[in-house]
Amino acid sequence: MKDVVLTGDRPTGPLHLGHYFGSLANRVRLQDVHPMYVLIADYQVITDRDLPGRIQRNITELLLDYLAVGLDPAKVTIFRHSAVPELNQLLLPFLSLVSVAELQRNPTVKDEIAHSSQRAVSGLMFTYPVHQAADILFCKGTLVPVGKDQLPHVEMTRLVARRFNERYGEVFPLPEAMMGEHPLLRGLDGGKMSKSRGNAITLSATEDETAALIRKARTDSDRLITFDETHRPEVANLLTLAALCLGRSPQDVAEEIGYGGAAALKRLVTEAVNEFLCPIRKRRKEHSEQDVRQILADGDERARERAVVTLDEVRAAMGF
């Protein structure tokens, strides 16, 4: 049986180069190998915030980012949480399989709570890992591309699937996490790369916006450019970014710059990033908002057809 891939993003803002090298490039490769579902997790936007913000605009921009990097809606099913009620209905039986203590111990939830903008922690935040289990299991997902911080969610999904199978009979496969191969990219300020912190180069950024962001990036005063992640993390991060865009090693890029200092480093990074983003920017302009609406309608319908079948299996197994 072929593996089924489940992946996706919350529509909270534009995707950036960290997303591309961390997961998007891998999705483009996998779409030619496995059936794939790509979730636009609009319901999960309100796990850690009181209001969803510009939700419709963010969904449109997210899908345009997907199309721009090369995801093909003829090969993958791109859909929204809010359009597939059968998926969300799986949350109820799944919640009966886990304890409150198990939810409270989830390290990713703890981290999300620590960075939440809500005045109080919502019940949805605690059930977030089980909702993600429903995301993965509704399509019988077996491969889940994740970063290290998302591994606990895959473990929770395996726990839910195993307990359901033990209690009601074999319905779900046990999914496996697929870790990215590329190093973690930090933001241009040296901190965690994030949509909300303004320290990332978005896939939709213009050439001038990209150049301005890289000019403001942190470096140091040593004119000899070397790749040293321990003692020169900001310089190493820029070298990594250039190397990923150029398909070279960061050590090789550092050797080319030599004694050129921060100015030469930033100039090379700017050229490398803008050249890399050029075809992505071009593909983005090829699609209209009407394309987006049709792609979402088609994907929502296909995902719902899959979810109906799974929910019927669950009901039958449970005796409802």
Side-chain angles (χ1 to χ4, degrees), residues 50-65:
D50 296 319
L51 296 169
R54 299 164 62 248
I55 189 71
Q56 294 303 327
R57 170 48 51 186
N58 286 343
I59 288 171
T60 297
E61 292 297 317
L62 180 56
L63 184 45
L64 286 172
D65 281 339

Side-chain angles (χ1 to χ4, degrees), residues 64-84:
L64 286 172
D65 281 339
Y66 287 161
L67 299 173
V69 300
L71 280 179
D72 184 349
K75 298 177 181 177
V76 304
T77 299
I78 303 172
F79 69 101
R80 296 166 289 183
H81 257 159
S82 58
V84 188

Side-chain angles (χ1 to χ4, degrees), residues 133-152:
D135 298 339
I136 296 166
L137 296 177
F138 97 95
C139 63
K140 306 288 183 73
T142 55
L143 285 179
V144 188
V146 291
K148 188 176 180 181
D149 61 333
Q150 293 290 310
L151 283 174

